[in-house]
Amino acid sequence: MLVIVNGERTEIAANDLRGLLGELDYTGTHVAIAVNYQVVPRALWADTALNNGDQIEIITPRQGG
Amino acid sequence: MAEMVTFYSKQFSSRLLIGTALYRSPAIMQQAIRAAGAQIVTVSLRREAAGGRIGSAFWDLIRELGVTVLPNTAGCRSVREAVTTAQLARELFDTPWIKLEVIGDDETLQPDVVGLVEAAAILIKDGFEVFPYCTEDLTVALRLRDAGCLVIMPWASPIGSARGIVNRDALKLMRARLPELTLVVDAGLGAPSHAADALELGYDAVLLNTAIAKAGDPVAMANAFRLAVVGGRIAYESGLMGARDFASPSTPVVGTPFWHALP
């Protein structure tokens, strides 16, 4: 299916969030995720199904003031 | 020894909060944070590229310091972006604290104070402890207090401008009208004297980044800011004299040699 990952159109084979993270090599990183502006807690990643056109933000700590 | 400062339910001895951006290297950032004696540092959130490990590496550096993390919503330009970013920060850093920024103008990075009050109310209802970055406008500060903010962070001048406190009267008024809140001067401080100025006005703390990170020697500058903040706070607690329009001699007049003598 086609989803938007961090603003980029991305074709994925996975059907859920955990599968997407494995497919795009995010496993083991310190990230938080929102799907369509809704934060998905880490514990729910495996149970979160994705749909065509979903907007996924994968966010990590960064330097800030 | 100056009094402790309270941020929501937590107490700290350091009144200098510093940012983690713009340093020449991660090692200098760590040394500067230590030299500042900072117990609270601000961090941001950004997208992680597929296969990237940048965020995890940075997070390891921060955890080594053993400081309290204050995540921010820097760069957010709408209530929805700011609220979602705050919720992501809570998930990422396991903290209810959020430095809430809603930017209203790209040229000045002036806060969108209307969106700020709205976002603060939403987040406080959701259990957050909000540190709103605002202007010196008293009414905005009152609305933020009414929404449940126990900390308010007005700017001294625009972010990164190094101009120090531009509207002194407004900041004095805010301090006088909100004695029960923790007030932090955030943004625009370019020199240790600016930080001391804020503490002498009775502000509980200062938050800055660029003035330390972009100094010729950031570690020494961090120490200079630490000393200025301590000095400013002790001065405030000691009771500063008021300004006068005319001179008043400090040396006693009585007994001055030749006093009332014939010329």
Side-chain angles (χ1 to χ4, degrees), chain A residues 26 42 57 60 62 64-65, chain B residues 20 44 46-48 72 91:
Chain A
Y26 282 102
R42 180 176 290 267
E57 293 286 328
T60 194
R62 197 61 53 88
Chain B
T20 54
S44 195
R46 288 292 179 264
R47 288 167 166 171
E48 181 70 285
N72 70 27
E91 176 77 6

Side-chain angles (χ1 to χ4, degrees), chain B residues 57-244:
Chain B
F58 171 65
W59 183 228
D60 288 343
L61 289 171
I62 295 299
R63 281 191 299 184
E64 281 174 19
L65 291 163
V67 291
T68 298
V69 169
L70 174 59
N72 70 27
T73 64
C76 289
R77 286 173 171 72
S78 69
V79 171
R80 183 163 79 151
E81 284 178 16
V83 168
T84 304
T85 302
Q87 291 165 339
L88 285 163
R90 181 166 62 182
E91 176 77 6
L92 204 50
F93 300 108
D94 194 26
T95 174
W97 281 16
I98 191 72
K99 176 185 167 183
L100 183 61
E101 295 184 36
V102 185
I103 298 301
D105 178 61
D106 288 341
E107 286 287 310
T108 60
L109 298 179
Q110 174 142 349
D112 170 359
V113 293
V114 177
L116 182 71
V117 172
E118 185 184 340
I122 292 168
L123 290 170
I124 286 165
K125 282 192 187 125
D126 192 19
F128 280 88
E129 295 176 346
V130 176
F131 295 57
Y133 163 63
C134 57
T135 63
E136 74 277 20
D137 187 284
L138 176 63
T139 309
V140 170
L142 294 173
R143 294 294 88 80
L144 290 166
R145 177 200 63 185
D146 296 345
C149 293
L150 299 182
V151 177
I152 294 180
M153 305 206 296
W155 65 359
S157 46
I159 294 171
S161 69
R163 295 177 64 197
I165 293 172
V166 170
N167 195 342
R168 164 177 299 273
D169 290 342
L171 287 185
K172 285 172 75 172
L173 178 64
M174 191 186 295
R175 177 70 285 178
R177 287 292 304 278
L178 296 170
E180 74 282 12
L181 297 191
T182 298
L183 298 183
V184 181
V185 171
D186 175 13
L189 302 177
S193 55
H194 298 161
D197 194 14
L199 274 291
E200 288 172 9
L201 285 180
Y203 276 72
D204 295 286
V206 292
L207 195 167
L208 60 111
N209 191 153
T210 313
I212 291 176
K214 302 302 273 185
D217 183 341
V219 180
M221 188 62 80
N223 190 40
F225 269 99
R226 180 182 65 80
L227 293 167
V229 166
V230 170
R233 179 63 192 185
I234 293 174
Y236 172 73
E237 290 176 12
S238 305
L240 287 152
M241 68 179 286
R244 278 192 274 244

Side-chain angles (χ1 to χ4, degrees), chain A residues 4-8 21 23-45 55-65, chain B residues 18-22 26 29 42-56 58-59 72 74 80-81 84 87-89 91-93 99 101 186 207 209:
Chain A
I4 313 291
V5 179
N6 286 345
E8 303 261 344
L21 293 174
E23 189 175 331
L24 299 183
D25 191 21
Y26 282 102
T27 305
T29 59
H30 187 58
V31 294
I33 300 176
V35 177
N36 301 329
Y37 283 90
Q38 295 295 315
V39 176
V40 181
R42 180 176 290 267
L44 298 181
W45 288 353
Q55 281 191 58
I56 300 148
E57 293 286 328
I58 303 176
I59 301 298
T60 194
R62 197 61 53 88
Q63 292 85 345
Chain B
I18 66 174
T20 54
L22 303 174
M29 178 198 75
T42 52
V43 298
S44 195
L45 295 88
R46 288 292 179 264
R47 288 167 166 171
E48 181 70 285
R53 297 291 183 272
I54 294 170
S56 300
F58 171 65
W59 183 228
N72 70 27
R80 183 163 79 151
E81 284 178 16
T84 304
Q87 291 165 339
L88 285 163
E91 176 77 6
L92 204 50
F93 300 108
K99 176 185 167 183
E101 295 184 36
D186 175 13
L207 195 167
N209 191 153

